[in-house]
Amino acid sequence: MNINEALEALEREGMEALDALSRSEELPVWYRAFLGRKGRLTDVLRALGKLSTEERPAAGKKGNEVKIALENAFNDRQEAIREAELQAALSSDAVDVTLPGRPVKPGHLHLSTRTLRRVREIFGEMGFQVYEAPEVETDENNFELLNIPAYHPARDMWDTFWVDDQVVLRTHTSPGQIRCMRERHPEPIRVILPGKCYRYEQITPRSEHQFYQVEGLAVGHNIRLTDLIGTMQQFAEKMYGEGRQMRIRGSYFPFTEPSVEVDMDCMLCKGEGCRVCKHTGWLEVAGAGMVHPVVLRNGGYDPDEWSGFAFGMGVERPAMLQHGIEDIRYFYGNDLRFLRQF
Ligand SMILES: [Zn+2]
């Protein structure tokens, strides 16, 4: 076989072998075999040295043509294989955009929020505005101006989160009374002050260190204890149902005088006695009373001319009663199994 025939045979075989390749790992193997330094083209060209000077240029030219043809074919094949592999990878992780999506279920309001909204609605119908006050308070507003000076034993009723010597996380919504009175005097007031309160307390099924409270405050001329009782009666009937029986017990709060506890008959056992009402037949609705003269004066109202009532109630507690929830910790546990029930 002469060198020309050998080169033509090499080109044909090289092209055929190249066409048979399908994976990119096979490409360097082919390259080494045909075009590598110890490959088949090198072998054939080595025979050029045995040719006569007349034959050599033509054979050399042919060898070069074969080399270029194989290299070009190799480059084209390499590109085609890589493109095919890329397409295969893309289509194997492809997302089928025509499939229906996973539905996102709409959420709903938290039970505390819904209870709070209902409370606001009921008092709104009775002409109470909503007054928002800050959750971080001064010691002065939270205690001093509400007639609870530093030495007062009533401070023991509230274990407090202190931010520093003068600033606390409010332990009740009552400091909002001072803010509201100072802002509104000498106008009459009828507001509720809903919001979160904080106490440095052991967390138990009945107490959390964070909870909602709704404070109520009415200041005007000739406001009497019976106005408070009537307001509480109307609230209880709208919140818990018609025909509720009310009971007023004497109590003590530093910022009201006289102070009372407002109870209503247990709607679960109709006053017969059950576990929820601890077999008394009665449930606490609110702590309340007539605004203490010292507090009225601190708010800018002359207690000889003005009087008022105030009350404070929980929000989680009524929700617990209504739905038979036994543990207040569920409200802040973020457990969807609990939340989705309401
Ligand atoms: Zn009961």
Side-chain angles (χ1 to χ4, degrees), residues 266 268-269 273-274 277 281:
C266 174
L268 298 172
C269 61
C274 69
C277 60

Side-chain angles (χ1 to χ4, degrees), residues 265-283:
D265 59 328
C266 174
M267 70 276 194
L268 298 172
C269 61
K270 308 276 185 288
E272 298 280 304
C274 69
R275 207 160 53 88
V276 173
C277 60
K278 293 192 211 136
H279 304 284
T280 60
W282 295 96
L283 295 168

